Amino acid sequence: MSLGSGIVPDESVFAELRRQCMSTENWQNKYNKNGMEVWVEVPPSINSPQGNKTSLSKVHKVKCKIAISDVSAATMYDVLHDNKYRKTWDPAMLESFEIARVAPNADVGYYSWLCPKPLKNRDVITLRSWQASEDEYIIVNYSVKHPKYPPRKDLVRAVSFLTGYLVKPTGPNSCSFTYVSQADPKGSLPKWAVNKASQILAPKVMKSVHKAGQNYPAWKALNSPEHKPWLYPIQSELPMMDPAELTLQRGDSLENVDESSTWDTQENEDSS
């Protein structure tokens, strides 16, 4: 992923996310039902010393697209941005807040979420940037290091290599909604388990976001209906931050927390 001369994404990052959302080359369809599709990036292969082709051990990209017939693209875009509303519909969320703004269309935020036992809960610090026009709404994010928010001992710091949304109007009250993500929850989870779980979770997440879009207009009408700083930067109350204080979060710089003991404990409890 190229960031040009700075950490804030330039047009090439948006173009790359747009390309991935629209492309079918090197993507394998895993789910196609009721207007929703899930694809997984076809893993690249390399020649092993024995001459056999082997898949690289990595976290795959997952792409999910849903045709929404009853919510406008503008509303779905608002749902993705509205942090206060997310607290009403995201059951996995532990904590979520915006830390600072680094550009009129970019900010840094914190998000932590519940994981099923016996796994430890996760958190992430991401830099998010967005663009909006009559033809499309697009959001990208990836993990960064923030000097005041180092990894916590009670949580596992996950890594988003590149996550994003592309929302395109298909009518006055309908849209196509595409989500692409390559993220590593870290810890001791094997990559194959991460890849499999992401394929299963993606449709559930999309259904939840769609339902949130259906309910958003009524909620927003009662909760500061004119306040949308993602559309009107002058409304933002976030402090400005020098993006030079941020650095990209690489997965290999994070400690791989050993969660095998929690699995053993859980198995012993289940067998007793």
Side-chain angles (χ1 to χ4, degrees), residues 1-173:
M1 179 178 62
S2 172
L3 296 178
S5 59
I7 197 166
V8 178
D10 57 20
E11 185 56 43
S12 66
V13 177
F14 287 97
E16 174 58 19
L17 181 77
R18 190 181 295 110
R19 184 194 67 78
Q20 291 187 28
C21 286
M22 305 298 288
S23 174
T24 56
E25 185 179 358
N26 296 326
W27 290 89
Q28 184 178 9
N29 190 282
K30 293 288 187 176
Y31 181 97
N32 190 345
K33 188 176 180 181
N34 298 326
M36 185 184 301
E37 296 181 74
V38 177
W39 290 272
V40 175
E41 178 193 43
V42 178
S45 296
I46 59 174
N47 289 321
S48 68
Q50 292 77 26
N52 300 320
K53 286 191 174 182
T54 60
S55 295
L56 290 172
S57 177
K58 59 178 288 189
V59 178
H60 298 171
K61 292 188 183 77
V62 174
K63 176 165 61 177
C64 194
K65 182 177 181 180
I66 183 172
I68 296 177
S69 61
D70 55 357
V71 184
S72 70
T75 295
M76 293 304 300
Y77 181 67
D78 288 347
V79 167
L80 294 173
H81 274 287
D82 201 322
N83 205 40
K84 291 182 179 179
Y85 182 57
R86 184 165 189 164
K87 297 173 183 178
T88 72
W89 65 267
D90 184 354
M93 186 179 74
L94 282 172
E95 192 177 10
S96 180
F97 54 86
E98 291 136 351
I99 298 170
R101 186 164 289 231
V102 295
N105 68 325
D107 61 19
V108 183
Y110 175 88
Y111 179 78
S112 60
W113 67 96
L114 290 164
C115 290
K117 292 183 178 180
L119 299 177
K120 295 186 72 172
N121 296 329
R122 261 64 177 171
D123 72 351
V124 67
I125 301 285
T126 57
L127 184 137
R128 176 181 64 169
S129 188
W130 56 89
Q131 293 181 350
S133 68
E134 292 183 359
D135 299 327
E136 67 177 22
Y137 301 86
I138 188 166
I139 301 173
V140 298
N141 80 54
Y142 40 78
S143 286
V144 292
K145 294 180 183 179
H146 190 292
K148 294 183 179 179
Y149 294 90
R152 292 165 44 174
K153 291 184 178 180
D154 59 326
L155 299 168
V156 175
R157 179 61 51 88
V159 178
S160 167
F161 298 107
L162 179 64
T163 298
Y165 303 87
L166 176 66
V167 189
K168 296 181 74 69
T170 55
N173 199 42

